[in-house]
Amino acid sequence: MSDALLSAEQLHLRDEARLFARTGVSRQLLLDMDAEKLHYPRQYIQNLAAQHLLGLRFPTQSGGRGLDWSYEVLALEEIGVLGASLACLYSLPSIVGEAIHIFGTSEQKEKYLLPMLAGRLTVAEALTEPRGGSDFFGATATVKHEGDVYLLNGQKRFIVGAEGADLFLVYARSNPDVSSHKAISAFLVERGDGVEVQHVYGLMGTRGGGTGRVYFRNVRVPVTNLIGEEHGAYEVFNQMMIPERMTSAAGALGLARAALEISARYANQRKAFGQKIREFEGVSFKIAESLTRLDAARALVHETARIIDAVGNSSYVRRRVSEAKKFATETAWAVVNDAMQVMGGIGYTNVYPIERLLRDARLMTIWTGTNEIMNLVIQHEYYKELLSTSPTARDVEADAQNSEAEGEKVYE
Ligand SMILES: Cc1cc2nc3c(=O)[nH]c(=O)nc-3n(C[C@H](O)[C@H](O)[C@H](O)COP(=O)(O)OP(=O)(O)OC[C@H]3O[C@@H](n4cnc5c(N)ncnc54)[C@H](O)[C@@H]3O)c2cc1C
């Protein structure tokens, strides 16, 4: 977003997050996470909390700042320059916090949201199962209501924070007898008896965030830890998709911006055939393309943020959020890929961080719902809008030379 369109308060918040990204995270932390010497940077989350940067959208009495999405996307872009792992850990309180903020009881807010935003309680979202992440409603983890607890059994995989998080937001099938949309419940599950974690995955990128597999074996979850209605996780899921996808989208902007700047600076200094490579059209047009794509992605993300702030959740918002996630993450991938091309062989080495950013960017089109799933949502919601409203704009179809030829309009 152009500074000219931001308020003084928004610029201030953006600069706070920018300062944190610049000075609040050591180079060594990034290197250790990428080398998997570190599996979960708890101190990083505590440092963010100390700067009051977690859960910006949540009310001050819950430990947030009472801001809206137009602010949060600014902070997310700044944190995004740190790469996907730290951006994700920054986003998790926003994602899990959304469920507690919207559906939680006052006791849950007191017990979990407040310490989460103060950096004393770290969180993970446990949605994906080995059998699949796209088909959320096919969840096979189960809970059985027994007196004042739910007995939770099952497993989740690819969970960021599996190693390290204190609290998991878990979706599980609570009613085997009805259709999936009415069969799943959401729970806050503390790490404790019956919660076991395996470090299974060697990741291409996005390392050091404690991504692993979580087993739940006869975990006794207090009934007071149910989020929303019993069997009502459909609503929770629909709401949480907003922060899940918006955090991916806005974080992707920062990552792409960082890669673009590094490559543009390089092109301004590197010489070939006796001249700066930025003077070759093949190079400078890549920079121009990347910048244009990035500005378009940022515009989409910021407009979507404002729409969410204006109307809350709706089928239209779900479409726009999915568009923002898809477009911003595909932009990040294209921009980082071109940044590597601009830099030639050195871009492929660890002398520059482009190769790490590229490895990180690759995940973004896969997680928080793959971009194929984004397409599924986008077209589905669009058709709902298109077919449920009568057109108010000009009937352009009737402007064809031979539009009266009804007999030629054969649909079956
Ligand atoms: C490093 C990492 C971190 C992650 N962090 C988390 C986390 O913290 N919490 C969490 O819950 N999950 C997390 N995930 C999981 C991630 O969200 C899923 O991997 C993703 O949603 C896809 O699910 P899947 O891997 O099971 O693939 P599948 O669902 O098996 O999909 C495989 C392919 O089929 C396509 N496909 C599936 N259904 C359709 C359809 N209807 N139409 C078109 N194409 C379709 C998909 O787009 C994809 O290309 C993480 C994943 C990774 C790799």
Side-chain angles (χ1 to χ4, degrees), residues 125 127-128 132-134 158-160 363 366-368 370 372 376:
E125 185 197 13
L127 186 154
T128 304
S134 304
F158 303 147
I159 307 308
V160 174
L363 177 63
I366 296 173
W367 73 1
T368 64
T370 65
E372 290 76 26
L376 211 65

Side-chain angles (χ1 to χ4, degrees), residues 88 92 95 123-136 156-162 169 171 201 203-207 211-212 244-245 363 365-376:
C88 176
L92 277 164
I95 298 169
V123 292
E125 185 197 13
L127 186 154
T128 304
E129 297 190 353
R131 54 155 295 287
S134 304
D135 179 13
F136 165 74
K156 302 282 174 176
R157 78 168 175 185
F158 303 147
I159 307 308
V160 174
L169 187 124
Y171 292 93
Y201 311 106
L203 300 176
M204 175 180 171
T206 315
R207 297 176 182 153
T211 304
E244 260 211 29
R245 291 165 187 175
L363 177 63
T365 62
I366 296 173
W367 73 1
T368 64
T370 65
N371 284 8
E372 290 76 26
I373 295 300
M374 296 308 105
N375 275 339
L376 211 65

Side-chain angles (χ1 to χ4, degrees), residues 184 222 277:
I184 296 175
I277 60 169

